[in-house]
Amino acid sequence: MRRLGLIGGTSWHSTAEYYRNINQAINDHFGDNTNPPLLLYNLNQSLIHQYQLADQWNKVADLIIDAGHRLEAGGVESIILCANTPHKVYEIVTQKLKAPIIHIADATAAAIKANGLKKVCFLGTKFSMEEVFITGRIAQNSLEVLVPTSNAEIVELHRIIQKELTFGKIITSSKQYVLDAIKGMSDQGAEGVVLGCTEFPLMINSNDITLPIFNTTEIHSQAAVDFILS
């Protein structure tokens, strides 16, 4: 098996799901309790949020690059960023690291296309909804990606992620707000839902909506497993 580095902590709740998913998939592959060679570097999410609010993305990149160098020193052959939003600095980070980074948007686009869909909606942080570092990369695969157009809706979805889900809080009224946002984009023709924040799967699952769900945590984890076994 190939050695994989995980850069997590954004948040640790979803990072734990990555760790669980990858280990379970490797167990299932071998049919026993074989575990993969993983190295995890946990980032300080509180500090990252401070940098995000100050629009100091260069400092976010520096934290990820430092983590990447530490993982490379440990012998990893590839790295995953265990969240969507850190991919905003993907281009900067890849220039400084030798180990390739498995991009979450590439894995997600492949999963959407494998399901034969052409038009999906995307929910994430305000950074990933307002900018195109994830949605644009998905769309490059001949896919249409809808995001909320209301600034108030974007702000509230972002608040739910950062003030509730990253602390492991699942609040009924907030869950209904997310479901209503999905319904609005379903009415615009979305054929599937990309949970483009790795915390959203903690709240939303296939029992909640009829549209196909693309859980980026699970999809990215499977891409990691594919690399480990390659």
Side-chain angles (χ1 to χ4, degrees):
M1 292 183 287
R2 305 181 76 180
R3 188 175 297 175
L4 179 73
L6 291 77
I7 298 179
T10 54
S11 70
W12 73 261
H13 298 278
S14 56
T15 303
E17 292 303 307
Y18 272 88
Y19 186 76
R20 186 196 320 278
N21 292 342
I22 294 170
N23 275 283
Q24 187 61 60
I26 296 296
N27 285 178
D28 293 344
H29 175 81
F30 287 101
D32 56 23
N33 58 351
T34 297
N35 292 327
L38 302 177
L39 277 73
L40 168 64
Y41 193 93
N42 206 46
L43 297 177
N44 180 348
Q45 189 173 36
S46 176
L47 183 58
I48 286 176
H49 282 178
Q50 292 175 42
Y51 290 154
Q52 289 174 346
L53 288 172
D55 198 28
Q56 294 178 319
W57 288 93
N58 59 317
K59 291 188 176 181
V60 175
D62 288 342
L63 289 176
I64 296 173
I65 291 166
D66 177 68
H69 284 153
R70 293 172 188 272
L71 292 172
E72 287 176 335
V76 303
E77 299 171 76
S78 189
I79 292 171
I80 61 171
L81 310 178
C82 297
N84 284 267
T85 301
H87 287 77
K88 177 176 167 65
V89 295
Y90 171 85
E91 300 295 341
I92 299 171
V93 172
T94 53
Q95 294 176 18
K96 301 294 184 180
L97 299 181
K98 295 178 181 178
I101 297 174
I102 302 170
H103 202 295
I104 197 168
D106 296 344
T108 301
I112 295 168
K113 296 194 76 172
N115 279 266
L117 305 188
K118 296 291 185 182
K119 187 175 184 178
V120 295
C121 63
F122 179 97
L123 296 176
T125 64
K126 70 174 184 177
F127 309 112
S128 58
M129 289 187 289
E130 291 178 341
E131 302 179 48
V132 295
F133 56 90
I134 297 290
T135 57
R137 191 159 176 135
I138 294 174
Q140 288 173 4
N141 293 269
S142 301
L143 297 168
E144 184 177 355
V145 184
L146 301 178
V147 295
T149 55
S150 162
N151 182 65
E153 193 170 43
I154 289 172
V155 168
E156 177 59 12
L157 291 168
H158 185 79
R159 187 201 65 78
I160 290 169
I161 293 168
Q162 293 211 328
K163 300 300 184 181
E164 297 174 13
L165 296 180
T166 59
F167 292 95
K169 298 178 182 178
I170 309 298
I171 297 175
T172 301
S173 59
S174 296
K175 179 173 180 176
Q176 188 58 54
Y177 191 92
V178 176
L179 292 174
D180 290 343
I182 293 171
K183 175 65 165 56
M185 289 184 285
S186 172
D187 291 344
Q188 297 175 50
E191 304 167 309
V193 180
V194 177
L195 298 181
C197 169
T198 50
E199 274 76 50
F200 272 138
L202 303 174
M203 171 186 276
I204 305 295
N205 59 54
S206 58
N207 294 322
D208 298 311
I209 57 177
T210 57
L211 293 179
I213 287 177
F214 295 92
N215 177 334
T216 54
T217 306
E218 289 184 354
I219 291 168
H220 205 199
S221 297
Q222 185 57 52
V225 170
D226 292 342
F227 171 80
I228 291 167
L229 296 175
S230 64

